[in-house]
């Protein structure tokens, strides 16, 4: 008897809950901690069947494990949540011939922390602006985050039935496969590749693949991917811009060098023309025409390289367009071209360099006239769809531009004309951009071309600029 008391004293002092069951599932022992968990006294419990107090249908996790321990005579360990006492328990059950001894350890705190941790990581996954995904070792998707759904257009449940292989274009597949294998072996990989969006569009992506290590063993691969289309686009734009500045500066210095000798040449040709007789008059006409052409090219080149730091002022666009109309109307008449203007009333002022905007409309009208060698109509329409923007469209009824060539317009020296410079549209675009506007071209071959220009109205631009102006 004293032996028994001693043992139960020891067991009672243990902070873990311990109880024992006989082969009919009846309690034969329960320490104080266990009694607390079961909210009864050991005396009340002893002799009662555990499943009458705690139905095995409800506590099936416990029942199944205990049954296994008893039937197979093996020790079982598991973790389970007990709703009535709101506790996570770590359970160890040891079978013996006379029944089962069970140890319960409260792991609610630990579990809570790891749940919290899980939520932390879950957020990193769910709210990551980069696409994040996990693969098994064969490259089948195990999970994807919302950014991944966005990136490639498939829903999460569609991904989970796929591997990455159909998503990579053929020419990139071998490389991607070998990098994936390296990552699966434990070596993190960073690389750029292409991926096929659900719509069929191929996008450039930057990918990181890293191993998923569990118990020192690689069990899969994590991936993080980012769309780098914009980045790539910006890089080429930047390169282009740099090239242009270099070319532009060179061109400007040459143009500058040409201008002075040109002035003397012009002067002397004029003098000779008057002083000399008996020379074919056509020669003079040709010489003067060619000189004018050189002058035109140098002045356009000079403008491009040095978009002269002229002052921006609030100006009325109707005045600018009317000035240009005055300037061009006689030339239009000669070419059998009618210039129509509409929508000029009540437009807001725009902040601009008037001389530059005039140059824009002169360039556009010149191009329009040159596209209509047999005459036609140039329609200049202005409107103001909202307080912030002004839209001006210049349309012609000329020969139009083939779709595939529209993108080339505005590249330096791109011209389809025998006497063209290929600089007019470039200067035009540059001026519009320096005014914070945009220029688009639409055209139908044989029907005509429309140049759409959007410019910010004066007040809206003021607001937009205050932030970054020093
Ligand atoms: P250029 O007029 O000296 O050729 P631009 O830069 O002004 O140079 O124009 C480039 C090219 O764009 C032209 O050669 C022409 O092929 C095309 N283009 C521009 N405007 C029009 C237009 N309104 N209709 C048809 N083609 C045009
Ligand atoms: Mg032109």
């Amino acid at each position: 008897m004293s032996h028994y008391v001693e043992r139960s004293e020891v067991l009672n002092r243990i902070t873990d809950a311990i109880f024992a069951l006989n082969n009919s599932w009846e309690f034969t022992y329960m320490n104080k901690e266990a009694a607390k968990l079961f909210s009864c006294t050991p005396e009340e419990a002893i002799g009662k069947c555990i499943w009458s107090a705690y139905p095995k249908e409800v506590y099936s996790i416990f029942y199944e494990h205990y049954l296994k321990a008893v039937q197979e005579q093996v020790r079982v360990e598991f973790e389970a949540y007990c709703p009535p006492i709101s506790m996570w328990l770590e359970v160890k059950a040891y079978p013996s011939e006379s029944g089962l001894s069970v140890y319960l350890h409260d792991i609610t705190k630990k579990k809570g922390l790891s749940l919290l941790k899980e939520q932390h990581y879950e957020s990193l996954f769910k709210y990551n602006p980069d696409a994040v995904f996990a693969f098994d070792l064969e490259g089948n998707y195990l999970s994807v985050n919302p950014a991944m759904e966005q990136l490639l257009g498939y829903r999460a449940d569609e991904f989970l039935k796929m591997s990455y292989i159909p998503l990579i274009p053929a020419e990139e597949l071998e490389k991607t496969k070998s990098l994936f294998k390296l990552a699966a072996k434990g070596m993190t990989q960073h690389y750029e590749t292409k991926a096929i969006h659900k719509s069929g569009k191929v996008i450039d992506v930057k990918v990181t693949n890293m191993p998923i290590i569990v118990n020192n063993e690689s069990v899969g691969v994590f991936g993080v991917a980012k769309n780098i289309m914009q980045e790539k686009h910006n890089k080429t734009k930047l390169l282009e811009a740099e090239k242009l500045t270099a070319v532009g500066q060179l061109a400007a210095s040459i143009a500058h060098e040409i201008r002075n000798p040109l002035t003397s040449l012009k002067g002397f040709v004029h003098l000779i023309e008057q002083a000399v007789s008996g020379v074919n008059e056509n020669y003079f006409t040709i010489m003067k025409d060619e000189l004018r052409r050189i002058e035109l090219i140098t002045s356009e080149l000079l403008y491009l390289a040095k978009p002269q730091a002229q002052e921006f002022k609030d100006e009325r666009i109707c005045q600018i367009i009317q000035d240009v109309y005055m300037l061009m109307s006689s030339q239009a008449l000669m070419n059998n071209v009618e210039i129509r203007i509409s929508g000029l009333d009540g437009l807001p002022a725009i902040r601009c360099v008037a001389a530059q905007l005039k140059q824009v409309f002169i360039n556009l009208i010149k191009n329009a006239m040159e596209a209509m060698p047999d005459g036609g109509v140039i329609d200049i329409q202005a409107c103001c769809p909202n307080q912030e923007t002004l839209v001006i469209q210049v349309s012609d009824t000329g020969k139009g531009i083939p779709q595939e060539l529209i993108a080339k317009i505005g590249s330096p020296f791109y011209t389809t004309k025998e006497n063209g410079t290929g600089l007019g549209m470039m200067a035009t675009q540059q001026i519009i951009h320096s005014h914070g506007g945009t220029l688009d071209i639409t055209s139908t071959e044989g029907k005509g071309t429309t140049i759409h220009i959007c410019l910010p109205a004066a007040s809206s631009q003021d607001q937009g600029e205050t932030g970054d102006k020093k």
Side-chain angles (χ1 to χ4, degrees), residues 300 362-364 366-368 370 415 417 420-425:
E300 279 191 348
I362 291 172
N363 290 351
L364 294 182
K366 257 169 59 184
N367 279 346
E370 284 159 5
T415 177
K417 297 168 196 166
T421 62
L423 293 171
M425 285 303 286

Side-chain angles (χ1 to χ4, degrees), residues 438-458:
T438 57
L439 183 149
D440 292 295
I441 303 172
T442 53
S443 188
T444 315
E445 259 182 288
K447 286 242 165 91
T449 303
T450 303
I451 314 289
H452 312 257
I453 293 176
C454 280
L455 285 167

Side-chain angles (χ1 to χ4, degrees), residues 86-102:
S86 312
M87 262 191 192
W88 273 94
L89 297 173
E90 181 185 54
V91 187
K92 293 181 189 167
Y94 303 89
S96 68
E97 269 166 36
S98 58
L100 196 67
S101 314
V102 182

Side-chain angles (χ1 to χ4, degrees), residues 304-448:
L304 278 174
K306 270 195 287 177
Q308 293 91 351
Q310 294 185 55
E311 218 184 322
F312 278 75
K313 284 191 190 134
D314 284 358
E315 306 269 1
R316 280 151 23 101
I317 193 80
C318 61
Q319 193 57 52
I320 291 174
I321 291 178
Q322 245 135 28
D323 286 354
V324 174
Y325 176 74
M326 295 289 281
L327 204 69
M328 304 297 289
S329 53
S330 59
Q331 210 178 330
L333 206 65
M334 279 196 312
N335 287 297
N336 199 18
V337 168
E338 184 193 346
I339 301 182
R340 294 181 193 156
I341 299 178
S342 62
L344 287 191
D345 295 332
L347 292 175
I350 51 176
R351 198 153 185 81
C352 66
V353 182
Q356 290 186 358
L357 280 195
K358 279 181 195 167
Q359 189 62 51
V360 164
F361 292 110
I362 291 172
N363 290 351
L364 294 182
I365 292 173
K366 257 169 59 184
N367 279 346
M369 284 197 300
E370 284 159 5
M372 303 185 290
D374 304 323
V377 177
I378 298 176
D379 205 355
I380 303 178
Q381 286 182 11
C383 67
C384 178
N386 56 46
Q387 291 298 306
E388 282 98 50
T389 24
L390 217 111
V391 177
I392 303 147
Q393 298 190 339
V394 180
S395 318
D396 62 56
T397 53
K399 58 176 174 253
I401 307 164
Q403 285 306 310
E404 67 275 16
L405 296 182
I406 290 185
K408 292 205 169 147
I409 291 176
S411 315
F413 307 111
Y414 173 75
T415 177
T416 56
K417 297 168 196 166
E418 208 174 321
N419 290 318
T421 62
L423 293 171
M425 285 303 286
M426 187 175 169
T428 301
Q429 283 177 345
Q430 216 170 64
I431 294 172
I432 296 298
H433 290 159
S434 72
H435 282 74
T438 57
L439 183 149
D440 292 295
I441 303 172
T442 53
S443 188
T444 315
E445 259 182 288
K447 286 242 165 91

